[in-house]
Amino acid sequence: MSAPLSRLGILLSGRGSNFLAIADNIAQGKLKGCEIAVVISNKADAPGLDAARERGLNGVAIEARGRKRAEHDAEIIARLQDHKVDLVCLAGYMRLLSPEFVLAFPERILNIHPSLLPAFPGLDAQEQAFTYGVQVAGCTVHFVDERLDHGVIVLQKTVPVLEDDDAHTLSARILEQEHLAYSEAIARVLSGEYKVSGRQYVKA
Ligand code: GRF
């Protein structure tokens, strides 16, 4: 008998292209051993949520609506637990997680950030990188801890900054790599072949 599929919970707030890349890679057999159990958005009108439902996935809106972060997060945690989620993937989820959320899924929450961390954390990372004048940019998939864009790095991919780039063309080049990086990082985490050792993510 084959091993049960690991269950992914995707959290998003907007477009959802990273979620769709993961879903496509699973559907095409490029990302094996897992399935998407639920897609949760804090925005009811997120295009990514519509895309999830169009694909027949469970798509759930849990709006923050002025609620306290801990209360909103508690509802999301409960929903993820209802769906027996093994790994939480933040894919353009534009809210900070409460410490309770991080504790509920130790080393089981991933985020993707469009810069080579620790450079350019926070919003508009690609624009920050372009404005700074870097010659190499990229993306980072990392575990989520209590600090913004800070947890242990699982995988990074680089792209060159070209002479005729602007922040928009650079973002597009980074996004192509994001769509590869997230699935590779998920495979790495689910393989069980790696462990966190201090700040390093190394072969176990
Ligand atoms: C991506 O650039 C991701 O790195 C960042 O938010 C953006 C989300 O894009 N965290 P999408 O919704 O996955 O298309």
Side-chain angles (χ1 to χ4, degrees):
M1 222 174 69
S2 51
L5 297 176
S6 295
R7 296 172 64 76
L8 308 183
I10 308 273
L11 264 58
L12 53 77
S13 302
R15 179 175 61 174
S17 73
N18 276 287
F19 145 62
L20 285 168
I22 294 166
D24 285 346
N25 283 332
I26 292 173
Q28 293 164 15
K30 293 180 190 158
L31 175 57
K32 298 183 205 310
C34 60
E35 62 186 343
I36 295 175
V38 63
V39 177
I40 298 175
S41 174
N42 63 318
K43 303 265 181 213
D45 59 356
L49 193 56
D50 291 337
R53 290 173 176 151
E54 277 162 24
R55 288 178 175 229
L57 296 167
N58 291 310
V60 182
I62 303 180
E63 295 247 21
R65 264 170 288 161
R67 295 154 76 192
K68 291 214 169 73
R69 185 181 310 281
E71 187 191 326
H72 181 242
D73 278 4
E75 190 176 339
I76 296 178
I77 294 167
R79 195 57 73 102
L80 291 167
Q81 288 170 341
D82 286 348
H83 286 276
K84 301 192 174 4
V85 162
D86 300 299
L87 184 63
V88 180
C89 301
L90 309 187
Y93 183 65
M94 302 304 286
R95 278 176 71 82
L96 277 176
L97 302 192
S98 59
E100 293 76 16
F101 198 143
V102 176
L103 276 174
F105 295 92
E107 283 177 26
R108 289 279 142 188
I109 309 175
L110 294 177
N111 180 44
I112 188 157
H113 184 75
S115 78
L116 295 173
L117 290 172
F120 313 119
L123 292 176
D124 300 324
Q126 307 95 323
E127 176 119 35
Q128 290 186 56
F130 181 77
T131 304
Y132 195 88
V134 299
Q135 298 183 2
V136 177
C139 62
T140 304
V141 182
H142 63 92
F143 287 110
V144 172
D145 65 11
E146 297 76 17
R147 291 166 59 183
L148 178 68
D149 299 330
H150 176 266
V152 168
I153 292 171
V154 176
L155 192 145
Q156 292 185 305
K157 284 193 182 284
T158 59
V159 301
V161 180
L162 304 180
E163 260 183 29
D164 56 354
D165 265 339
D166 55 27
H168 182 76
T169 55
L170 177 60
S171 296
R173 192 173 309 114
I174 294 171
L175 190 63
E176 276 179 25
Q177 294 305 308
E178 292 186 45
H179 293 164
L180 302 174
Y182 218 151
S183 292
E184 280 181 39
I186 291 168
R188 194 171 277 192
V189 171
L190 295 181
S191 73
E193 292 171 7
Y194 291 77
K195 63 170 190 212
V196 173
S197 172
R199 285 286 314 174
Q200 322 300 322
Y201 198 51
V202 291
K203 283 263 182 184

